[in-house]
């Protein structure tokens, strides 16, 4: 019922074309058959592309029931091959609404000719989009920010004001 070489091939995991001592062919169960592909549900496009983590986005966008129709702003930062893009958006049922955006290639207007993808360019792009949002909401005169850079820590909450500063989730 099977030579020594056949038994060795079976022990090493190689197929010899028959199973057991009877000589019958082995049946291999097909795991991905027609029924599997009928029920298979394709993931959303942005999940397949690896752009959106829907669990994290759901946690970030979720709003309390008592704050119905209140906008919850968030900062979106994307890095492409050549530049950094920053946006401030809020979620609605129709989709995300973009309030303001800035890209690091706009920094050439402000004296940064190259290096639009590094850490410093991302920081400057975030400042640029923040100033645009404050201007859009009319808060740029109330919240000036730091006038001169001296290395000291600056918090806007320490100053007394009747209006709270703009809050954004990162």
């Amino acid at each position: 019922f099977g030579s020594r070489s056949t038994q060795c091939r079976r022990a090493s995991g190689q197929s010899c074309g028959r199973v057991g001592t009877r000589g019958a062919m082995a049946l291999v169960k097909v795991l991905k058959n027609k029924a599997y592909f009928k029920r298979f549900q394709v993931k959303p496009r942005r999940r397949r592309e690896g752009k959106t983590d829907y669990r994290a986005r759901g946690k970030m966008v979720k709003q309390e029931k008592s704050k119905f129709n209140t906008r919850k702003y968030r900062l979106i930062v994307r890095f492409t091959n050549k530049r950094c893009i920053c946006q401030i958006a809020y979620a609605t049922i129709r989709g995300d609404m973009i309030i303001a955006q800035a890209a690091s290639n706009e920094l050439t207007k402000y004296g940064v000719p190259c290096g639009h993808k590094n850490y410093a360019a991302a920081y400057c792009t975030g400042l640029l989009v923040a100033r645009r949002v404050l201007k859009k909401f009319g808060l740029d005169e109330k919240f000036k920010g730091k006038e001169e850079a001296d290395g000291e820590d600056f918090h806007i909450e320490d100053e007394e004001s009747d209006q709270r500063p703009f809050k954004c989730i990162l």
Side-chain angles (χ1 to χ4, degrees):
F1 308 78
S3 66
R4 180 92 174 129
S5 63
T6 307
Q7 292 171 354
C8 291
R9 274 190 280 161
R10 264 193 232 126
S12 67
Q14 293 178 342
S15 174
C16 62
R18 56 187 186 158
V19 176
T21 57
R22 298 242 175 202
M25 294 298 292
L27 294 175
V28 179
K29 184 177 179 184
V30 178
L31 295 175
K32 292 186 178 178
N33 54 12
K34 190 173 183 180
Y36 170 83
F37 287 110
K38 274 185 173 180
R39 292 186 188 92
F40 184 77
Q41 186 172 5
V42 180
K43 302 276 188 220
R45 179 183 58 85
R46 292 186 61 86
R47 167 65 184 93
R48 282 179 285 156
E49 293 171 355
K51 289 184 177 179
T52 303
D53 180 3
Y54 282 101
R55 184 177 297 146
R57 184 185 185 283
K59 284 182 186 176
M60 194 183 318
V61 169
K62 198 174 288 182
Q63 185 72 283
E64 292 180 26
K65 297 290 184 192
S66 61
K67 297 180 180 180
F68 176 73
N69 216 10
T70 305
R71 296 174 178 171
K72 195 172 185 181
Y73 298 102
R74 69 185 194 277
L75 178 68
I76 303 164
V77 181
R78 292 190 184 98
F79 284 95
T80 66
N81 286 338
K82 293 183 180 178
R83 61 186 181 149
C84 170
I85 302 168
C86 295
Q87 297 175 328
I88 294 192
Y90 66 93
T92 62
I93 293 174
R94 292 187 326 181
D96 291 351
M97 302 294 171
I98 306 297
I99 300 297
Q101 86 145 23
S104 61
N105 58 354
E106 298 173 30
L107 296 175
T108 53
K109 299 177 194 172
Y110 302 102
V112 182
C114 60
H116 294 153
K117 202 186 168 197
N118 57 20
Y119 189 82
Y123 183 82
C124 293
T125 310
L127 286 177
L128 185 61
V129 76
R131 294 311 301 175
R132 286 183 182 170
V133 167
L134 290 178
K135 188 168 193 161
K136 188 166 191 171
F137 289 135
L139 299 173
D140 56 341
E141 298 298 323
K142 292 182 181 178
F143 301 104
K144 290 281 187 191
K146 191 101 171 174
E147 297 293 331
E148 55 195 54
D150 56 358
E152 291 294 319
D153 212 15
F154 178 73
H155 295 284
I156 199 77
E157 294 90 17
D158 297 340
E159 297 180 10
E160 291 297 322
S161 178
D162 55 341
Q163 192 171 8
R164 290 184 296 184
F166 182 77
K167 182 180 164 188
C168 185
I169 300 169
L170 178 58

